[in-house]
């Protein structure tokens, strides 16, 4: 099967920021820009998911979220993609397995805000995510302590990289992860929806980050 998927060369370090992006917002942009600097990434792909398995209510239509993401994130090293819809995956661990088959030699880094590290243990086969690719965590408002004390952080404590080693995250062999304390932007998709700035359907759906 042929896919309309991003291009990547063997040896490149690609950060993956997955989520519903329902809607995309300045926090997503901030995390992306800080991750490029903190973790020595060549590029970042926003993986706009078909849905979120941890949320009961379905997101806005994928085409709408893709268009909003492209309007929000204008950066020469960032690509917006619906590759999960194309390859038929919802869970992050399944997406990573397929991407590593499609892109032999590319070094992927999974990116997340601290809020997602705090609840990573709820994700499907979450230990396999940590064992498959390096993980870069960017601070989010109010989530530093809960992230550092989370089951995932404790379970993989000995694999955490500190200080300048985070620039080498993409070259590290998994499991490896690091936490980047950066200036934060206090905004979330949930807040935007609560203010009525983005309407979503009421049907159920299914990926993991928001």
């Amino acid at each position: 099967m042929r896919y309309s998927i991003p291009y990547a060369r063997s040896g490149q370090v690609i950060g993956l920021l997955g989520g519903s992006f329902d809607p995309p917002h300045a926090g997503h942009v901030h995390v992306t820009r800080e991750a490029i600097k903190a973790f020595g990434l060549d590029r970042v792909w926003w993986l706009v998911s078909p849905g979120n398995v941890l949320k009961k209510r379905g997101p806005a239509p994928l085409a709408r979220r893709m268009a909003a993401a492209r309007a929000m994130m204008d950066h020469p090293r960032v690509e917006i993609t619906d590759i999960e819809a194309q390859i038929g995956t919802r869970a992050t661990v399944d997406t990573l397995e397929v991407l590593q088959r499609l892109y032999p030699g590319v070094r992927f880094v999974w990116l997340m805000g601290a809020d997602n590290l705090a609840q990573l243990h709820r994700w499907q086969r979450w230990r396999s995510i940590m064992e498959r690719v390096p993980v870069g965590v960017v601070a989010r408002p109010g989530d530093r302590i809960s992230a550092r004390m989370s089951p995932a952080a404790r379970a993989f404590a000995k694999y955490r990289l500190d200080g300048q080693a985070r620039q080498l995250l993409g070259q590290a062999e998994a499991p490896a992860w690091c936490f980047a304390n950066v200036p934060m932007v206090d905004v979330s998709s949930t807040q935007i929806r609560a203010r009525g700035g983005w309407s979503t359907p009421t049907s159920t759906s299914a990926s993991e980050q928001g």
Side-chain angles (χ1 to χ4, degrees):
M1 180 181 294
R2 295 182 64 84
Y3 304 113
S4 177
I5 59 178
Y7 170 77
R9 301 190 309 272
S10 177
Q12 278 190 311
V13 180
I14 307 293
L16 303 173
L17 185 67
S20 302
F21 296 94
D22 188 35
H25 53 70
H28 294 127
V29 174
H30 180 70
V31 165
T32 300
R33 292 180 179 274
E34 293 295 335
I36 290 173
K37 294 185 290 185
F39 305 132
L41 307 175
D42 294 315
R43 298 185 62 79
V44 170
W45 297 350
W46 281 17
L47 307 183
V48 183
S49 70
N52 189 319
V53 296
L54 297 182
K55 297 179 180 179
K56 294 180 180 180
R57 182 169 292 193
L62 179 58
R64 181 186 177 197
R65 290 180 285 125
M66 286 284 290
R70 290 189 172 115
M72 176 67 64
M73 184 75 250
D74 183 15
H75 192 288
R77 291 165 63 184
V78 180
E79 183 141 8
I80 314 301
T81 176
D82 62 353
I83 192 170
E84 286 184 306
Q86 296 185 58
I87 62 180
T89 61
R90 296 294 182 93
T92 296
V93 66
D94 295 330
T95 298
L96 292 174
E97 289 175 356
V98 175
L99 288 181
Q100 288 178 322
R101 289 201 303 269
L102 290 175
Y103 294 92
V106 173
R107 304 189 69 90
F108 290 111
V109 174
W110 188 258
L111 304 175
M112 63 172 67
D115 54 330
N116 280 295
L117 179 63
Q119 51 123 23
L120 181 62
H121 60 285
R122 297 174 55 202
W123 293 21
Q124 182 176 322
R125 292 166 56 202
W126 66 273
R127 290 177 180 272
S128 294
I129 297 172
M130 299 290 291
E131 292 165 353
R132 181 169 285 276
V133 295
V135 174
V137 183
V138 178
R140 291 280 291 149
D143 290 298
R144 295 187 194 205
I145 295 177
S146 60
R148 293 177 188 274
M149 298 302 294
S150 67
R154 294 198 305 269
F156 287 87
K158 69 178 181 180
Y159 300 106
R160 181 179 172 185
L161 306 180
D162 290 315
Q164 292 303 310
R166 69 188 190 185
Q167 281 284 329
L168 303 175
L169 182 63
Q171 305 301 324
E173 295 299 322
W177 67 282
C178 57
F179 191 102
N181 279 310
V182 299
M184 293 181 282
V185 174
D186 191 5
V187 63
S188 72
S189 297
T190 301
Q191 292 170 348
I192 295 171
R193 292 195 301 269
R195 293 196 300 265
W198 180 267
S199 60
T200 58
T202 58
S203 60
T204 57
S205 76
S207 178
E208 274 136 338
Q209 295 197 64

